[in-house]
Amino acid sequence: MDYTLKEKTQSKAVAEITNNSEEIDKAKKEAYNKLSRKVKIPGFRVGKAPYEIGAAYIGNERLLEESLDILMDRSIEDFLKKENIDIFSSPSVSVKELSNDKFVYEVSVEFLPEIDVDVDKKIEINKTIEVTDEEIEEKLKELQDTFTELEPKDGPVEKGDIVEFSYSINGKEEQALTAEVGKDKVVEGFEDSIIGKTVNEEFEVTLTNSTVKFKILSIKTKKIPEINDDFAKEVGADSLEKLREQIKNQIYENKKLQLEENRGQEALEMLVDNLQVELPSHYIEEETEERYKEIEEEYLRRGVKLESLLEKEGKTVESFKNEIKEAIIHEMKEDLILRKIIEAKNITVSDEEVEEEYEHILLEQNIDRNRLPLTDDLRRHIENELLRDKAISVLKENTVMSFGGE
C-alpha cells in the first residue's frame, strides 16, 4: 500500500491511497474464501471449489467489489498508524480508479486536535457581583410572608383566603385539605364555586367522570405586615433602610460563596472561551443535523411542529441550528481541556468509587437496583462523570477569584 498525504490540519487528514495488483489479488482470494461459503458452485461442496473455478463462477466484478472493503479496512488502518492518527469519526472515501491492476481512492479522516494547556498554571478570575433592587424586594417579600399571620374569618370566602375543607369523591370517605383560594389548584371549578361560601356550607363540583362534594371547615385570612420601619425592627434591623442594606449584603455574600464554590467550572468556561483550535467540522455538521432531527421528532410526538414554535419565538431553523452547533463546539472544547488535565495529572477512578457513586444515585433517586442495574454502559457513564469532576477539582485548586461590585 502506498499513500500520498494531500492535506493534514489540526483535525483533518486527506490522503490518496493506492493498492497494487499483488494486493488486489490477495484481497480477491480472501473475498473468494468468504463468498464461497455462501455460494453453491455446481459439482463442489460449499466452500470446496478451487479458486480458479469458483472465481469464474462468482464473477470478477463481484470479487472486486468484495475485495474493496478488505483493502480499504487494511490500508486505512495502516495509513492511520503511520500518521499516528486516532480517528474520531468514520472516514469518508471516494474511489478514483478500480481495476485488477490498481485500486486508487481518496480517504478523508477527522480526529481530535492536540491542545496546549498548562494544567499547573494559576488562573485568575475577576467577577463583578451585582445585586438588583428586584432581588432585594423579592427577599423582603419572603420575609413578609414569613411574618404573615393567619386569623379566623367570619365572612364569606374571598381570593387569598386560606380555607380548610373536607371532600369526598362519588360519596367515598371524606378527606381534609387546606388551600389558598386563587393560588392552589384543587379541581376545575373549585375556585368559582367556593367564592362567597361560609363555614359549614357545602357545595359540589361535577367533573367528567365524578362528582366531588366539599364542606368548608374553616376560613382564615392573612394578616400581612406592612413593610416599613416597624417591620424592619421586628425582624431585627434598626430601620427599613438598614434592613435593605442587610439583605443586599446577604445576597452579595451568597453570590460570592456560590461563585467560589463553582470556581472550577468558571475556570473551565474561561479556558473554553480562550481556546483557539480547529475542530472536526464534518462531525460537527452531522451532529448538528442529528440533534436537530431528534428535537424535531420529540416535538412531533407531542403534536407540535418545531418550525412553527421557533417562528413564535422569533427564531429560524438556521439560527436554531447555529445554537446547537455552538453548544456542540463548546462541549468539544470542554472535553479536550478536561482530557488534557486527566492525562497530565494521571487521574483515575477506582471500581470502588464507581460503585459508591452508583449506590448514591440509587439512594438519591429512590430507585431499586433491579430497575437500574449497574450495566457496563452505566459504569462507563459514572466513571466519565467522576473523571470530569476530578479534573474540574484540579482547576478549582488552581483558580483564584477576586470580586467587584456592591
Side-chain angles (χ1 to χ4, degrees):
M1 183 274 288
D2 293 320
Y3 72 87
T4 302
L5 190 62
K6 300 176 72 174
E7 177 188 354
K8 190 173 183 182
T9 65
Q10 283 184 303
S11 65
K12 179 182 177 183
V14 180
E16 186 174 272
I17 297 177
T18 302
N19 292 111
N20 58 35
S21 59
E22 183 179 341
E23 291 168 324
I24 294 170
D25 285 341
K26 183 179 179 181
K28 283 168 68 176
K29 288 177 181 177
E30 289 182 43
Y32 172 74
N33 288 334
K34 179 181 175 182
L35 289 171
S36 64
R37 291 192 289 270
K38 302 177 183 178
V39 178
K40 174 63 178 173
I41 299 174
F44 296 92
R45 286 180 295 161
V46 174
K48 298 300 181 181
Y51 172 74
E52 291 75 11
I53 297 174
Y57 183 83
I58 291 171
N60 185 65
E61 186 175 344
R62 188 174 178 188
L63 281 175
L64 267 177
E65 289 177 358
E66 285 290 330
S67 66
L68 289 186
D69 289 338
I70 296 171
L71 286 168
M72 282 193 293
D73 286 347
R74 188 172 296 150
S75 299
I76 291 174
E77 184 180 355
D78 193 20
F79 158 66
L80 295 175
K81 186 176 180 181
K82 288 180 178 178
E83 289 296 324
N84 195 28
I85 293 173
D86 185 9
I87 196 168
F88 180 68
S89 57
S90 299
S92 175
V93 175
S94 175
V95 177
K96 302 295 184 183
E97 181 181 342
L98 175 60
S99 68
N100 289 317
D101 298 321
K102 185 185 287 187
F103 175 33
V104 182
Y105 65 95
E106 186 175 276
V107 59
S108 176
V109 295
E110 290 188 316
F111 49 90
L112 291 175
E114 285 293 324
I115 61 170
D116 184 20
V117 175
D118 184 354
V119 299
D120 294 315
K121 183 179 178 181
K122 288 295 179 184
I123 300 171
E124 295 182 1
I125 299 177
N126 179 267
K127 283 285 183 180
T128 299
I129 300 176
E130 295 182 359
V131 180
T132 66
D133 291 340
E134 289 77 12
E135 288 173 315
I136 295 171
E137 293 305 316
E138 185 179 341
K139 287 294 180 183
L140 271 174
K141 181 66 171 61
E142 289 177 9
L143 272 175
Q144 186 184 42
D145 290 342
T146 301
F147 281 80
T148 295
E149 297 177 353
L150 297 179
E151 295 181 336
K153 181 179 179 180
D154 293 329
V157 174
E158 298 176 284
K159 276 191 177 181
D161 287 343
I162 308 299
V163 181
E164 183 186 7
F165 55 88
S166 64
Y167 70 94
S168 63
I169 302 174
N170 294 333
K172 293 182 180 179
E173 183 180 355
E174 289 189 352
Q175 299 183 61
L177 193 66
T178 299
E180 180 178 337
V181 179
K183 180 180 178 182
D184 298 329
K185 181 74 173 175
V186 182
V187 294
E188 193 68 39
F190 170 82
E191 184 179 322
D192 293 336
S193 300
I194 200 171
I195 296 292
K197 299 291 189 302
T198 57
V199 173
N200 293 324
E201 271 198 73
E202 298 181 357
F203 61 94
E204 292 183 352
V205 174
T206 301
L207 305 177
T208 304
N209 299 313
S210 60
T211 298
V212 186
K213 184 177 180 180
F214 295 93
K215 181 179 180 180
I216 299 175
L217 303 177
S218 71
I219 307 170
K220 293 180 181 178
T221 186
K222 292 180 178 180
K223 183 182 177 182
I224 304 173
E226 186 179 348
I227 298 178
N228 52 27
D229 285 342
D230 290 337
F231 173 74
K233 289 174 182 177
E234 189 175 350
V235 299
D238 293 336
S239 64
L240 181 57
E241 183 181 353
K242 290 291 185 181
L243 178 58
R244 290 181 187 277
E245 189 66 27
Q246 288 177 12
I247 291 172
K248 181 178 181 180
N249 292 337
Q250 183 183 50
I251 294 173
Y252 180 91
E253 288 301 320
N254 287 341
K255 287 186 175 185
K256 181 178 176 181
L257 285 172
Q258 187 174 7
L259 285 168
E260 280 280 8
E261 182 61 28
N262 294 332
R263 68 182 185 274
Q265 185 64 45
E266 291 285 340
L268 179 58
E269 293 295 324
M270 190 183 78
L271 291 174
V272 166
D273 291 341
N274 293 333
L275 182 61
Q276 300 297 318
V277 66
E278 178 188 285
L279 297 171
S281 58
H282 183 67
Y283 166 81
I284 291 171
E285 294 297 332
E286 284 191 336
E287 183 68 10
T288 299
E289 293 298 325
E290 183 65 27
R291 292 193 190 184
Y292 178 83
K293 186 177 178 182
E294 288 175 0
I295 297 169
E296 186 179 41
E297 289 174 352
E298 178 61 31
Y299 274 102
L300 281 176
R301 282 193 287 270
R302 302 178 195 172
V304 180
K305 192 175 180 182
L306 178 57
E307 192 170 349
S308 301
L309 183 64
L310 292 173
E311 190 175 330
K312 288 180 181 178
E313 295 178 356
K315 297 180 182 180
T316 65
V317 170
E318 194 60 35
S319 67
F320 184 61
K321 285 183 177 180
N322 283 335
E323 290 178 14
I324 297 173
K325 183 186 290 187
E326 288 302 315
I328 293 169
I329 291 171
H330 189 279
E331 290 169 12
M332 293 184 74
K333 286 185 175 182
E334 268 197 0
D335 190 54
L336 285 170
I337 293 166
L338 293 175
R339 284 189 187 195
K340 189 74 173 180
I341 295 168
I342 291 166
E343 179 184 347
K345 293 296 184 179
N346 194 27
I347 298 173
T348 59
V349 172
S350 67
D351 290 340
E352 290 76 14
E353 288 174 305
V354 171
E355 287 159 14
E356 183 180 340
E357 180 62 19
Y358 169 64
E359 295 294 337
H360 175 72
I361 292 170
L362 294 178
L363 183 63
E364 187 178 58
Q365 300 186 15
N366 194 25
I367 299 176
D368 186 87
R369 65 179 60 252
N370 293 323
R371 285 180 53 209
L372 186 67
L374 186 56
T375 61
D376 289 342
D377 284 344
L378 180 56
R379 183 180 288 275
R380 278 192 294 271
H381 171 75
I382 293 174
E383 182 178 356
N384 288 336
E385 288 300 306
L386 290 174
L387 286 170
R388 175 188 173 87
D389 290 345
K390 288 186 177 185
I392 291 177
S393 292
V394 171
L395 286 174
K396 184 177 179 179
E397 291 300 315
N398 288 341
T399 301
V400 176
M401 297 196 84
S402 58
F403 302 93
E406 292 294 335

PDB file of all heavy atoms in Angstrom, residues 272-293:
ATOM      1  N   VAL A 272     -12.313  27.553  27.894  1.00  0.00           N
ATOM      2  CA  VAL A 272     -13.057  27.249  26.662  1.00  0.00           C
ATOM      3  C   VAL A 272     -13.152  28.497  25.791  1.00  0.00           C
ATOM      4  O   VAL A 272     -12.917  28.442  24.580  1.00  0.00           O
ATOM      5  CB  VAL A 272     -14.469  26.703  26.996  1.00  0.00           C
ATOM      6  CG1 VAL A 272     -15.356  26.711  25.750  1.00  0.00           C
ATOM      7  CG2 VAL A 272     -14.379  25.294  27.554  1.00  0.00           C
ATOM      8  N   ASP A 273     -13.517  29.625  26.405  1.00  0.00           N
ATOM      9  CA  ASP A 273     -13.663  30.869  25.637  1.00  0.00           C
ATOM     10  C   ASP A 273     -12.353  31.295  24.980  1.00  0.00           C
ATOM     11  O   ASP A 273     -12.363  31.898  23.896  1.00  0.00           O
ATOM     12  CB  ASP A 273     -14.157  31.997  26.553  1.00  0.00           C
ATOM     13  CG  ASP A 273     -15.604  31.778  27.000  1.00  0.00           C
ATOM     14  OD1 ASP A 273     -16.318  30.992  26.347  1.00  0.00           O
ATOM     15  OD2 ASP A 273     -16.005  32.375  28.021  1.00  0.00           O
ATOM     16  N   ASN A 274     -11.238  30.993  25.640  1.00  0.00           N
ATOM     17  CA  ASN A 274      -9.929  31.424  25.121  1.00  0.00           C
ATOM     18  C   ASN A 274      -9.262  30.391  24.216  1.00  0.00           C
ATOM     19  O   ASN A 274      -8.229  30.694  23.605  1.00  0.00           O
ATOM     20  CB  ASN A 274      -8.991  31.734  26.287  1.00  0.00           C
ATOM     21  CG  ASN A 274      -9.442  32.946  27.086  1.00  0.00           C
ATOM     22  OD1 ASN A 274     -10.101  33.832  26.551  1.00  0.00           O
ATOM     23  ND2 ASN A 274      -9.110  32.989  28.363  1.00  0.00           N
ATOM     24  N   LEU A 275      -9.837  29.197  24.131  1.00  0.00           N
ATOM     25  CA  LEU A 275      -9.211  28.129  23.347  1.00  0.00           C
ATOM     26  C   LEU A 275      -9.465  28.321  21.852  1.00  0.00           C
ATOM     27  O   LEU A 275     -10.598  28.267  21.384  1.00  0.00           O
ATOM     28  CB  LEU A 275      -9.745  26.765  23.792  1.00  0.00           C
ATOM     29  CG  LEU A 275      -9.132  25.537  23.091  1.00  0.00           C
ATOM     30  CD1 LEU A 275      -7.627  25.456  23.356  1.00  0.00           C
ATOM     31  CD2 LEU A 275      -9.832  24.262  23.535  1.00  0.00           C
ATOM     32  N   GLN A 276      -8.393  28.564  21.122  1.00  0.00           N
ATOM     33  CA  GLN A 276      -8.473  28.672  19.669  1.00  0.00           C
ATOM     34  C   GLN A 276      -7.941  27.382  19.064  1.00  0.00           C
ATOM     35  O   GLN A 276      -6.741  27.095  19.143  1.00  0.00           O
ATOM     36  CB  GLN A 276      -7.651  29.879  19.176  1.00  0.00           C
ATOM     37  CG  GLN A 276      -8.101  31.214  19.733  1.00  0.00           C
ATOM     38  CD  GLN A 276      -9.515  31.565  19.324  1.00  0.00           C
ATOM     39  OE1 GLN A 276      -9.914  31.359  18.171  1.00  0.00           O
ATOM     40  NE2 GLN A 276     -10.281  32.090  20.275  1.00  0.00           N
ATOM     41  N   VAL A 277      -8.839  26.598  18.477  1.00  0.00           N
ATOM     42  CA  VAL A 277      -8.434  25.301  17.959  1.00  0.00           C
ATOM     43  C   VAL A 277      -9.362  24.895  16.827  1.00  0.00           C
ATOM     44  O   VAL A 277     -10.537  25.265  16.795  1.00  0.00           O
ATOM     45  CB  VAL A 277      -8.467  24.234  19.090  1.00  0.00           C
ATOM     46  CG1 VAL A 277      -9.878  23.988  19.577  1.00  0.00           C
ATOM     47  CG2 VAL A 277      -7.802  22.941  18.659  1.00  0.00           C
ATOM     48  N   GLU A 278      -8.801  24.168  15.872  1.00  0.00           N
ATOM     49  CA  GLU A 278      -9.609  23.647  14.768  1.00  0.00           C
ATOM     50  C   GLU A 278     -10.266  22.341  15.201  1.00  0.00           C
ATOM     51  O   GLU A 278      -9.599  21.429  15.686  1.00  0.00           O
ATOM     52  CB  GLU A 278      -8.709  23.394  13.551  1.00  0.00           C
ATOM     53  CG  GLU A 278      -9.448  22.794  12.365  1.00  0.00           C
ATOM     54  CD  GLU A 278      -8.476  22.383  11.272  1.00  0.00           C
ATOM     55  OE1 GLU A 278      -7.972  23.268  10.571  1.00  0.00           O
ATOM     56  OE2 GLU A 278      -8.211  21.174  11.151  1.00  0.00           O
ATOM     57  N   LEU A 279     -11.571  22.257  15.016  1.00  0.00           N
ATOM     58  CA  LEU A 279     -12.326  21.068  15.413  1.00  0.00           C
ATOM     59  C   LEU A 279     -12.838  20.327  14.184  1.00  0.00           C
ATOM     60  O   LEU A 279     -12.940  20.915  13.098  1.00  0.00           O
ATOM     61  CB  LEU A 279     -13.504  21.476  16.311  1.00  0.00           C
ATOM     62  CG  LEU A 279     -13.128  22.132  17.643  1.00  0.00           C
ATOM     63  CD1 LEU A 279     -14.371  22.690  18.320  1.00  0.00           C
ATOM     64  CD2 LEU A 279     -12.432  21.128  18.548  1.00  0.00           C
ATOM     65  N   PRO A 280     -13.171  19.052  14.321  1.00  0.00           N
ATOM     66  CA  PRO A 280     -13.666  18.258  13.176  1.00  0.00           C
ATOM     67  C   PRO A 280     -14.973  18.828  12.623  1.00  0.00           C
ATOM     68  O   PRO A 280     -16.045  18.614  13.196  1.00  0.00           O
ATOM     69  CB  PRO A 280     -13.874  16.868  13.778  1.00  0.00           C
ATOM     70  CG  PRO A 280     -13.031  16.828  15.005  1.00  0.00           C
ATOM     71  CD  PRO A 280     -13.031  18.220  15.533  1.00  0.00           C
ATOM     72  N   SER A 281     -14.882  19.568  11.535  1.00  0.00           N
ATOM     73  CA  SER A 281     -16.033  20.307  11.004  1.00  0.00           C
ATOM     74  C   SER A 281     -17.131  19.387  10.466  1.00  0.00           C
ATOM     75  O   SER A 281     -18.321  19.663  10.646  1.00  0.00           O
ATOM     76  CB  SER A 281     -15.582  21.273   9.910  1.00  0.00           C
ATOM     77  OG  SER A 281     -14.932  20.560   8.868  1.00  0.00           O
ATOM     78  N   HIS A 282     -16.731  18.313   9.778  1.00  0.00           N
ATOM     79  CA  HIS A 282     -17.728  17.399   9.193  1.00  0.00           C
ATOM     80  C   HIS A 282     -18.546  16.744  10.307  1.00  0.00           C
ATOM     81  O   HIS A 282     -19.782  16.637  10.209  1.00  0.00           O
ATOM     82  CB  HIS A 282     -17.037  16.335   8.338  1.00  0.00           C
ATOM     83  CG  HIS A 282     -17.987  15.411   7.644  1.00  0.00           C
ATOM     84  ND1 HIS A 282     -18.832  15.841   6.644  1.00  0.00           N
ATOM     85  CD2 HIS A 282     -18.247  14.081   7.822  1.00  0.00           C
ATOM     86  CE1 HIS A 282     -19.564  14.810   6.228  1.00  0.00           C
ATOM     87  NE2 HIS A 282     -19.228  13.745   6.934  1.00  0.00           N
ATOM     88  N   TYR A 283     -17.868  16.332  11.364  1.00  0.00           N
ATOM     89  CA  TYR A 283     -18.562  15.723  12.501  1.00  0.00           C
ATOM     90  C   TYR A 283     -19.533  16.725  13.123  1.00  0.00           C
ATOM     91  O   TYR A 283     -20.673  16.376  13.458  1.00  0.00           O
ATOM     92  CB  TYR A 283     -17.560  15.260  13.559  1.00  0.00           C
ATOM     93  CG  TYR A 283     -18.211  14.949  14.887  1.00  0.00           C
ATOM     94  CD1 TYR A 283     -18.847  13.727  15.103  1.00  0.00           C
ATOM     95  CD2 TYR A 283     -18.235  15.903  15.917  1.00  0.00           C
ATOM     96  CE1 TYR A 283     -19.468  13.452  16.313  1.00  0.00           C
ATOM     97  CE2 TYR A 283     -18.859  15.634  17.128  1.00  0.00           C
ATOM     98  CZ  TYR A 283     -19.470  14.408  17.320  1.00  0.00           C
ATOM     99  OH  TYR A 283     -20.101  14.149  18.501  1.00  0.00           O
ATOM    100  N   ILE A 284     -19.097  17.966  13.286  1.00  0.00           N
ATOM    101  CA  ILE A 284     -19.944  18.989  13.907  1.00  0.00           C
ATOM    102  C   ILE A 284     -21.210  19.213  13.085  1.00  0.00           C
ATOM    103  O   ILE A 284     -22.315  19.314  13.639  1.00  0.00           O
ATOM    104  CB  ILE A 284     -19.161  20.302  14.087  1.00  0.00           C
ATOM    105  CG1 ILE A 284     -18.066  20.120  15.149  1.00  0.00           C
ATOM    106  CG2 ILE A 284     -20.091  21.450  14.485  1.00  0.00           C
ATOM    107  CD1 ILE A 284     -17.106  21.282  15.259  1.00  0.00           C
ATOM    108  N   GLU A 285     -21.052  19.272  11.758  1.00  0.00           N
ATOM    109  CA  GLU A 285     -22.222  19.463  10.899  1.00  0.00           C
ATOM    110  C   GLU A 285     -23.190  18.282  11.012  1.00  0.00           C
ATOM    111  O   GLU A 285     -24.407  18.472  11.117  1.00  0.00           O
ATOM    112  CB  GLU A 285     -21.783  19.637   9.436  1.00  0.00           C
ATOM    113  CG  GLU A 285     -20.991  20.902   9.155  1.00  0.00           C
ATOM    114  CD  GLU A 285     -21.800  22.165   9.409  1.00  0.00           C
ATOM    115  OE1 GLU A 285     -23.041  22.118   9.291  1.00  0.00           O
ATOM    116  OE2 GLU A 285     -21.182  23.190   9.741  1.00  0.00           O
ATOM    117  N   GLU A 286     -22.649  17.061  10.988  1.00  0.00           N
ATOM    118  CA  GLU A 286     -23.505  15.877  11.085  1.00  0.00           C
ATOM    119  C   GLU A 286     -24.198  15.809  12.447  1.00  0.00           C
ATOM    120  O   GLU A 286     -25.387  15.473  12.528  1.00  0.00           O
ATOM    121  CB  GLU A 286     -22.673  14.613  10.864  1.00  0.00           C
ATOM    122  CG  GLU A 286     -22.304  14.366   9.416  1.00  0.00           C
ATOM    123  CD  GLU A 286     -21.704  12.973   9.221  1.00  0.00           C
ATOM    124  OE1 GLU A 286     -21.164  12.415  10.209  1.00  0.00           O
ATOM    125  OE2 GLU A 286     -21.778  12.464   8.088  1.00  0.00           O
ATOM    126  N   GLU A 287     -23.454  16.115  13.504  1.00  0.00           N
ATOM    127  CA  GLU A 287     -24.019  16.065  14.853  1.00  0.00           C
ATOM    128  C   GLU A 287     -25.099  17.140  15.030  1.00  0.00           C
ATOM    129  O   GLU A 287     -26.112  16.896  15.694  1.00  0.00           O
ATOM    130  CB  GLU A 287     -22.912  16.253  15.884  1.00  0.00           C
ATOM    131  CG  GLU A 287     -23.344  16.143  17.324  1.00  0.00           C
ATOM    132  CD  GLU A 287     -23.784  14.752  17.745  1.00  0.00           C
ATOM    133  OE1 GLU A 287     -23.581  13.798  16.974  1.00  0.00           O
ATOM    134  OE2 GLU A 287     -24.332  14.631  18.860  1.00  0.00           O
ATOM    135  N   THR A 288     -24.890  18.302  14.424  1.00  0.00           N
ATOM    136  CA  THR A 288     -25.896  19.368  14.481  1.00  0.00           C
ATOM    137  C   THR A 288     -27.203  18.905  13.853  1.00  0.00           C
ATOM    138  O   THR A 288     -28.281  19.079  14.429  1.00  0.00           O
ATOM    139  CB  THR A 288     -25.389  20.633  13.763  1.00  0.00           C
ATOM    140  OG1 THR A 288     -24.203  21.102  14.409  1.00  0.00           O
ATOM    141  CG2 THR A 288     -26.441  21.729  13.780  1.00  0.00           C
ATOM    142  N   GLU A 289     -27.101  18.320  12.667  1.00  0.00           N
ATOM    143  CA  GLU A 289     -28.300  17.830  11.980  1.00  0.00           C
ATOM    144  C   GLU A 289     -28.981  16.717  12.775  1.00  0.00           C
ATOM    145  O   GLU A 289     -30.214  16.663  12.849  1.00  0.00           O
ATOM    146  CB  GLU A 289     -27.937  17.330  10.574  1.00  0.00           C
ATOM    147  CG  GLU A 289     -27.486  18.417   9.616  1.00  0.00           C
ATOM    148  CD  GLU A 289     -28.579  19.458   9.361  1.00  0.00           C
ATOM    149  OE1 GLU A 289     -29.769  19.074   9.332  1.00  0.00           O
ATOM    150  OE2 GLU A 289     -28.235  20.637   9.198  1.00  0.00           O
ATOM    151  N   GLU A 290     -28.183  15.839  13.370  1.00  0.00           N
ATOM    152  CA  GLU A 290     -28.739  14.720  14.138  1.00  0.00           C
ATOM    153  C   GLU A 290     -29.491  15.229  15.371  1.00  0.00           C
ATOM    154  O   GLU A 290     -30.599  14.768  15.672  1.00  0.00           O
ATOM    155  CB  GLU A 290     -27.611  13.781  14.554  1.00  0.00           C
ATOM    156  CG  GLU A 290     -28.063  12.535  15.295  1.00  0.00           C
ATOM    157  CD  GLU A 290     -28.902  11.604  14.455  1.00  0.00           C
ATOM    158  OE1 GLU A 290     -28.740  11.598  13.220  1.00  0.00           O
ATOM    159  OE2 GLU A 290     -29.749  10.888  15.040  1.00  0.00           O
ATOM    160  N   ARG A 291     -28.900  16.175  16.077  1.00  0.00           N
ATOM    161  CA  ARG A 291     -29.557  16.705  17.277  1.00  0.00           C
ATOM    162  C   ARG A 291     -30.818  17.484  16.914  1.00  0.00           C
ATOM    163  O   ARG A 291     -31.834  17.405  17.615  1.00  0.00           O
ATOM    164  CB  ARG A 291     -28.595  17.594  18.067  1.00  0.00           C
ATOM    165  CG  ARG A 291     -27.461  16.834  18.695  1.00  0.00           C
ATOM    166  CD  ARG A 291     -26.730  17.682  19.716  1.00  0.00           C
ATOM    167  NE  ARG A 291     -25.508  17.047  20.165  1.00  0.00           N
ATOM    168  CZ  ARG A 291     -24.707  17.525  21.111  1.00  0.00           C
ATOM    169  NH1 ARG A 291     -25.028  18.653  21.732  1.00  0.00           N
ATOM    170  NH2 ARG A 291     -23.604  16.898  21.450  1.00  0.00           N
ATOM    171  N   TYR A 292     -30.762  18.234  15.811  1.00  0.00           N
ATOM    172  CA  TYR A 292     -31.955  18.961  15.381  1.00  0.00           C
ATOM    173  C   TYR A 292     -33.072  17.987  15.055  1.00  0.00           C
ATOM    174  O   TYR A 292     -34.229  18.191  15.445  1.00  0.00           O
ATOM    175  CB  TYR A 292     -31.655  19.834  14.157  1.00  0.00           C
ATOM    176  CG  TYR A 292     -32.883  20.562  13.663  1.00  0.00           C
ATOM    177  CD1 TYR A 292     -33.292  21.756  14.251  1.00  0.00           C
ATOM    178  CD2 TYR A 292     -33.653  20.030  12.628  1.00  0.00           C
ATOM    179  CE1 TYR A 292     -34.434  22.414  13.819  1.00  0.00           C
ATOM    180  CE2 TYR A 292     -34.804  20.672  12.197  1.00  0.00           C
ATOM    181  CZ  TYR A 292     -35.188  21.860  12.794  1.00  0.00           C
ATOM    182  OH  TYR A 292     -36.332  22.496  12.377  1.00  0.00           O
ATOM    183  N   LYS A 293     -32.735  16.914  14.360  1.00  0.00           N
ATOM    184  CA  LYS A 293     -33.734  15.912  13.992  1.00  0.00           C
ATOM    185  C   LYS A 293     -34.355  15.273  15.233  1.00  0.00           C
ATOM    186  O   LYS A 293     -35.571  15.046  15.290  1.00  0.00           O
ATOM    187  CB  LYS A 293     -33.076  14.832  13.117  1.00  0.00           C
ATOM    188  CG  LYS A 293     -34.048  13.814  12.551  1.00  0.00           C
ATOM    189  CD  LYS A 293     -33.340  12.824  11.649  1.00  0.00           C
ATOM    190  CE  LYS A 293     -34.306  11.778  11.119  1.00  0.00           C
ATOM    191  NZ  LYS A 293     -33.624  10.778  10.269  1.00  0.00           N
TER     192      LYS A 293
END
